[in-house]
Amino acid sequence: MAGMTEPQHATIDAAMQAHLQTWQGKSESRVDLVAAAPVAAMAATLDCDDPAPVAGTALPPLWHWMYFLPHARQSEIGPDGHPLRGGFLPPVPLPRRMWAGGRLRWEARNALAVGQEVERVSTIQSVKHKAGRSGELLFVQVEHRFRNAGGLALTEEHDIVYRPLAQPGEAAPAPQTPPLAGQAAWSRTIVPDDVLLFRYSALTFNGHRIHYDRQYVTQVEGYPGLIVHGPLIATLLVDLLRRHLPDAQLLSFDFRAVRPTFDLHAFSVHGKPSQDGKTVELWAQDHEGWLTMQATATLG
């Protein structure tokens, strides 16, 4: 409704924790058509030389994030550009939120493809609160199960973390060196310019202002620059695998965001297949060489 406001930051006490945990077990179902136009647009955005998609074209891994999008009315958008909280996801009173990672499992003989009508059933698996030296954190884990006419096609666990605004003088977490630094078999440099971030936001109908509103992200949320979408980085990791192993079938992909990536500098994505070719270690690192995302892909 017009005039609604986002909840302000407040300490999550025992009563609030109990209230938020009532969202555990909540489910919703959405149906969407895997249309060809977004597939062609994503290929262009990632600078891929893919053939034009037609009915039956397999949907590349992670490109399902362009579908099943919430279409909140403009009057229902909060100050951060996201839909106002409440509804399916709990109304967490911590203002910063991020996609912290996930785990995906594809069914080997039932691929999502262009032209299919797909149902996604989403269930909130857990709502967990943590308070430590870095301040309050609230973790929400959501399971998505995707079914087409052939049955279950994909199972995804999505991790969301909510945090308070940065405080003046707050120390950033200690950076990490990639465990396989200097051992990559594949590498690619990515320039996260405004156009790339805009196009990915548009394809995923993502109004979160941290990805395009420099004044908001620096003055309100306290970051030094625009934040590169975590799902975009994960997609670029899988895209790196597709570029080097175009015929490989991805059975699982586990990823974890470690450190924010900003648009101020180029970053890089890297991969190293195992000797038996069954798994690929993938990671992203910033311009200083610090680990920003870590992932493991299992191949069929």
Side-chain angles (χ1 to χ4, degrees):
M1 295 174 61
M4 295 179 67
T5 57
E6 190 84 329
Q8 299 299 308
H9 166 62
T11 300
I12 299 178
D13 58 17
M16 175 61 74
Q17 288 183 52
H19 176 60
L20 296 175
Q21 287 172 347
T22 64
W23 264 256
Q24 291 182 158
K26 185 172 184 175
S27 291
E28 71 170 14
S29 174
R30 293 176 180 267
V31 175
D32 206 349
L33 176 69
V34 182
V39 176
M42 180 63 79
T45 299
L46 299 182
D47 210 12
C48 298
D49 190 23
D50 292 355
V54 296
T57 297
L59 188 67
L62 306 189
W63 293 21
H64 69 285
W65 288 336
M66 296 187 291
Y67 304 94
F68 307 98
L69 305 173
H71 295 155
R73 293 172 58 179
Q74 190 66 18
S75 57
E76 298 170 346
I77 297 297
D80 62 358
H82 269 310
L84 289 163
R85 300 182 190 186
F88 176 65
L89 288 174
V92 180
L94 297 174
R96 292 200 292 179
R97 72 181 94 179
M98 65 175 288
W99 191 321
R103 293 154 299 284
L104 300 99
R105 304 289 181 270
W106 288 268
E107 300 299 317
R109 296 176 180 84
N110 188 26
L112 296 175
V114 172
Q116 293 178 352
E117 185 174 83
V118 180
E119 179 187 35
R120 185 189 74 179
V121 177
S122 303
T123 304
I124 296 180
Q125 292 186 313
S126 64
V127 178
K128 297 179 179 178
H129 178 258
K130 178 181 178 182
R133 288 179 298 176
S134 60
E136 287 189 295
L137 299 170
L138 193 123
F139 300 89
V140 177
Q141 185 180 101
V142 183
E143 180 193 69
H144 302 293
R145 296 173 71 85
F146 300 82
R147 294 181 178 273
N148 57 17
L152 183 66
L154 168 63
T155 302
E156 174 181 5
E157 291 181 336
H158 171 193
D159 300 328
I160 308 168
V161 62
Y162 297 82
R163 303 177 59 192
L165 292 174
Q167 299 302 309
E170 180 180 319
Q176 303 176 38
T177 300
L180 297 177
Q183 301 179 46
W186 319 321
S187 297
R188 184 183 177 206
T189 298
I190 308 295
V191 178
D193 61 22
D194 295 18
V195 176
L196 175 62
L197 301 191
F198 163 78
R199 294 176 91 181
Y200 190 80
S201 286
L203 283 169
T204 55
F205 203 61
N206 184 350
H208 199 181
R209 293 169 67 180
I210 63 173
H211 304 305
Y212 61 85
D213 187 335
R214 196 172 304 277
Q215 181 177 356
Y216 172 85
V217 76
T218 57
Q219 297 185 14
V220 176
E221 298 216 9
Y223 292 108
L226 297 178
I227 298 177
V228 182
H229 315 64
L232 172 57
I233 298 173
T235 301
L236 287 164
L237 290 177
V238 173
D239 179 66
L240 181 71
L241 188 157
R242 289 184 69 221
R243 288 169 185 266
H244 290 274
L245 298 175
D247 297 324
Q249 182 179 28
L250 192 59
L251 296 181
S252 71
F253 182 71
D254 297 5
F255 71 102
R256 180 173 61 93
V258 177
R259 182 180 176 87
T261 299
F262 303 103
D263 73 328
L264 305 174
H265 305 278
F267 67 95
S268 53
V269 290
H270 307 268
K272 182 182 180 182
S274 61
Q275 290 188 346
D276 62 9
K278 294 182 178 180
T279 61
V280 179
E281 296 300 322
L282 297 156
W283 68 96
Q285 59 190 58
D286 63 19
H287 67 292
E288 296 181 301
W290 300 121
L291 180 68
T292 58
M293 183 172 286
Q294 192 168 10
T296 300
T298 302
L299 308 180

